[in-house]
Amino acid sequence: MRLYSIYYLCKKYKEDVLKCEVQESVTSGGGRIVEWKNWTKYKEVLLVLREIACLKKNVEDIYETIPVIEREKTIPRFSASLWETIRDKQRELSKQLEVITTLYESMGLIEKTELEGIDVKIPKCDSLGKYIALLKDVQFVFEQCPFLKNEEGAIEFSCVDVGSQWLSFLITAGVGSGVVAYIFQNLASMLDKAIQLKSHMNSLKEQKILLEKTNLSKEVLETTLNTYKVLNDQYISRAIKEIEEEKAENALLDGEERGKAEKSLEKLAELMDKGVEIYTSIDTNKDIQLLFPTIDGGESLPSNIIKYLEDKKHGKDD
């Protein structure tokens, strides 16, 4: 998760971790009971913050302090002493969030922009040449693909996230032009097609390796491999045609544009195969995020998270 995403989540939830709707009552024996009214909503906040590595332990401390039987209730009940223990852990977590937001802001790293964005994660490379090659391919896709630019807007480089391999891009466009949605929709389509193409290309690579191990003549081997290349090119051509037909604005003007679109899709699939990840930025409109085949907004909740915590409580491994 990029540093700005961590800051964004800490800033968003630093007050919520202390915001508890409770109702107190007294038992017949004079003891005080606390009912946690907004536990269901609060639990979602914990699951989001748990995705931040440096907060994981403190988040789990809060969760695991709550008895298992009470966690499953919509409105759990606690003794006054246990509730105070939970509150102490919440205050500790709140301090962590405050430290992170204060540190980030003190470094002058606040991103003061209302523009929609794209985050690209570059994998670790064992040479500068490989790193530069990945950057050049990302540049080609974002700057040359006809589906990802328009007379009224385009994808522009913003910054490299401090201390990480994350690159940030912004979509610049005139107010009310509709270009932002147009570019995001097309990028989502390109990513979807690239995922399919990557799987197709890997399948062909595996078949190529198997063929090279056989005793086929050189001529037969070359003919077969050329057939694979034709199949791959046809797949790319068909995928671009499908994107082109999604909306009238996607109509490609000439062979040059079609060539750039096909090359962009091929490069995008190869980038993904090499470990490059492309997401909408965490503060991009949620409706736009839902368009994408894979999203790391940072707020997605793993479906097995509660089971993981339960297993951890009982000494099992994830």
Side-chain angles (χ1 to χ4, degrees), residues 102-290:
T102 300
L103 175 62
Y104 190 91
E105 291 171 0
S106 69
M107 295 170 69
L109 301 175
I110 302 176
E111 300 184 10
K112 297 179 180 179
T113 177
E114 296 181 357
L115 298 175
E116 306 284 8
I118 299 166
D119 294 336
V120 177
K121 184 179 182 181
I122 305 296
K124 291 182 179 179
C125 300
D126 56 16
S127 73
L128 181 59
K130 290 181 180 179
Y131 183 78
I132 293 174
L134 292 178
L135 295 182
K136 286 183 176 179
D137 283 347
V138 170
Q139 181 185 24
F140 182 92
V141 172
F142 284 173
E143 293 184 0
Q144 298 297 321
C145 182
F147 298 138
L148 303 182
K149 58 183 180 178
N150 185 284
E151 291 180 356
E152 299 181 28
I155 300 174
E156 295 185 1
F157 176 71
S158 175
C159 65
V160 178
D161 195 46
V162 62
S164 75
Q165 296 283 64
W166 287 92
L167 310 178
S168 294
F169 296 81
L170 300 175
I171 296 181
T172 58
V175 177
S177 67
V179 172
V180 171
Y182 167 81
I183 291 177
F184 269 121
Q185 288 168 0
N186 283 342
L187 179 57
S189 294
M190 288 285 288
L191 287 171
D192 185 56
K193 299 296 184 186
I195 291 171
Q196 297 174 45
L197 176 59
K198 178 169 72 76
S199 176
H200 180 71
M201 290 168 63
N202 285 336
S203 177
L204 292 182
K205 287 178 184 177
E206 291 174 1
Q207 292 180 48
K208 178 182 176 182
I209 292 173
L210 290 175
L211 278 174
E212 290 174 341
K213 291 181 179 179
T214 64
N215 294 321
L216 293 174
S217 66
K218 183 178 180 181
E219 181 179 349
V220 173
L221 181 59
E222 288 181 354
T223 300
T224 306
L225 294 179
N226 286 335
T227 301
Y228 285 166
K229 184 180 185 306
V230 170
L231 290 173
N232 193 64
D233 291 344
Q234 288 178 345
Y235 185 92
I236 294 172
S237 179
R238 185 168 63 250
I240 291 301
K241 186 66 176 177
E242 289 173 358
I243 296 175
E244 188 179 11
E245 293 175 348
E246 288 178 1
K247 53 175 73 74
E249 300 92 323
N250 283 355
L252 298 171
L253 299 178
D254 51 36
E256 182 181 356
E257 280 202 344
R258 187 171 303 280
K260 288 181 177 180
E262 292 177 353
K263 193 65 177 177
S264 294
L265 180 59
E266 184 176 20
K267 283 184 177 293
L268 191 55
E270 290 171 349
L271 284 168
M272 297 175 75
D273 192 48
K274 293 173 182 176
V276 173
E277 301 171 27
I278 301 177
Y279 307 102
T280 57
S281 60
I282 194 170
D283 41 7
T284 292
N285 185 288
K286 299 302 177 185
D287 291 336
I288 290 176
Q289 290 189 7
L290 292 174

Side-chain angles (χ1 to χ4, degrees), residues 43-60:
K43 181 165 56 177
E44 292 180 357
V45 173
L46 289 182
L47 295 178
V48 171
L49 293 177
R50 185 187 174 276
E51 296 303 296
I52 302 175
C54 60
L55 300 179
K56 182 177 177 180
K57 181 180 183 303
N58 288 73
V59 169
E60 291 184 352

Side-chain angles (χ1 to χ4, degrees), residues 33-85:
I33 297 296
V34 177
E35 293 184 337
W36 195 347
K37 299 290 187 178
N38 66 329
W39 162 242
T40 300
K41 184 177 180 180
Y42 191 92
K43 181 165 56 177
E44 292 180 357
V45 173
L46 289 182
L47 295 178
V48 171
L49 293 177
R50 185 187 174 276
E51 296 303 296
I52 302 175
C54 60
L55 300 179
K56 182 177 177 180
K57 181 180 183 303
N58 288 73
V59 169
E60 291 184 352
D61 282 348
I62 293 174
Y63 192 87
E64 293 176 359
T65 299
I66 302 169
V68 174
I69 193 170
E70 296 297 330
R71 294 179 205 162
E72 302 304 318
K73 296 179 180 178
T74 303
I75 303 178
R77 292 160 55 92
F78 313 98
S79 65
S81 59
L82 179 55
W83 178 245
E84 190 54 40
T85 299

Side-chain angles (χ1 to χ4, degrees), residues 81-98:
S81 59
L82 179 55
W83 178 245
E84 190 54 40
T85 299
I86 293 172
R87 291 299 283 171
D88 286 341
K89 294 182 182 297
Q90 289 175 334
R91 295 183 191 103
E92 186 175 347
L93 177 60
S94 178
K95 288 178 182 177
Q96 277 190 292
L97 300 185
E98 184 63 38

